[in-house]
Amino acid sequence: GGFNVRVSGRNFLPTDELVCRFGAVNVFAVWVDHFSILCVSPPHAEGEYPLEVSVNNQDFTDGRKSIVFYKDPALLTILPVSGPALLAGTQVLLTGTGFANTTGLGCRFGSVAVPGRFVSSTEIICLTPSQPNGLTFMSLQWQMNDLPDPRHGSRMLFPTAHDYPWYYSRLVDVDVTNNGQDYTSSGVRFLYQADAIVTEISPASALDTGTTPIYLRGTNFVNITTLTCRIGHHVVPATYIAPNLLVCFQRLQATKEPDHGQHRHGLKRIENFGHSDLATTNLDQLPGSVYAEMANNGLDFTANRLLFTYVG
């Protein structure tokens, strides 16, 4: 209970006995105009109940409108725990209990509310909103939840993080609502970080038969376990060297697309096999040139479109 309910209709009168009835429980209403009133829901058992209105606390409507009381939701964990601040849109998986498949289902990152996508009563997905302002220079060791994370038993968002270097970031509370009004007070937090940018890769080409180290230069690289490179469609772990430098090792990659056979109209029967890149990028549409990108959280990859070429 305790949430505001706006009831719309007609012929509402500003009497002292204007009430709403939630199931069998009556509460006084606030008159707004002849077409709407406001009621505060009482505490109630879980379930669906009729909601009716009376202007004299005796004769109630029979509109057969219902209201659902549900168990209070609880948020336990989120994944990932960090993401870019400006471009944002990080797909965050939130786990807990009591999530309901309603139109009011949503998340709040700091003070910004976003819609939620229902997965189950224990999982929902929300996309982070952009929050580019308020970033400050902080250590990863300072970033904590109110309660220990059940996955690793620590309050720290990054239990293995070092005190240095520091990064531009902003920590915000994350909470969930089933009705768009009443949010949890979970103590779970998400860390916005300055968007990473890749400005140079070296070398820009290598043999397709080797595992050459590829150095990526740029800005806002973060020394966390989710640091990742994506070379074409290969996603590989990255090794942090400095805030502007990291290294990844290429995977084996075909430089020529095999003859897949053709239909009678001349088009290829199959566009790509598994050992050829699924998204070729050079003008000749050959699988040897691919984009090299990185992500601090293993999910939100940069889009600076620097080419790496496999040489046969």
Side-chain angles (χ1 to χ4, degrees), residues 71-254:
K71 184 179 179 181
D72 291 344
L75 176 61
L76 300 178
T77 64
I78 63 173
L79 187 71
V81 298
S82 64
L86 179 60
L87 296 181
T90 301
Q91 182 171 290
V92 179
L93 176 66
L94 301 94
T95 60
T97 59
F99 301 150
N101 190 10
T102 67
T103 56
L105 181 66
C107 303
R108 187 172 62 192
F109 293 85
S111 60
V112 183
V114 295
R117 177 162 63 88
F118 182 81
V119 178
S120 69
S121 62
T122 59
E123 291 184 346
I124 63 174
I125 292 174
C126 292
L127 303 183
T128 59
S130 179
Q131 296 206 33
N133 300 319
L135 301 184
T136 56
F137 216 37
M138 296 189 293
S139 168
L140 290 180
Q141 287 191 350
W142 300 352
Q143 317 308 321
M144 295 192 181
N145 296 315
D146 281 351
L147 298 173
D149 190 312
R151 293 169 296 191
H152 49 67
S154 173
R155 291 177 53 208
M156 297 173 63
L157 268 63
F158 310 97
T160 60
H162 299 284
D163 189 28
Y164 291 98
W166 291 8
Y167 307 94
Y168 281 105
S169 51
R170 178 186 178 189
L171 191 67
V172 299
D173 292 319
V174 182
D175 287 298
V176 175
T177 178
N178 281 330
N179 64 3
Q181 289 187 41
D182 303 295
Y183 285 86
T184 57
S185 297
S186 65
V188 175
R189 297 192 172 93
F190 179 86
L191 185 67
Y192 280 100
Q193 297 177 312
D195 293 41
I197 298 173
V198 178
T199 58
E200 178 186 351
I201 60 173
S202 178
S205 62
L207 292 175
D208 61 339
T209 57
T211 54
T212 302
I214 304 174
Y215 293 87
L216 280 69
R217 294 186 180 275
T219 57
N220 300 322
F221 301 159
V222 180
N223 187 15
I224 50 180
T225 56
T226 53
L227 187 65
T228 307
C229 288
R230 186 174 63 192
I231 313 298
H233 70 276
H234 295 296
V235 177
V236 296
T239 299
Y240 179 89
I241 300 175
N244 61 350
L245 181 64
L246 58 83
V247 63
C248 304
F249 287 86
Q250 69 168 102
R251 295 284 179 86
L252 300 181
Q253 168 77 26

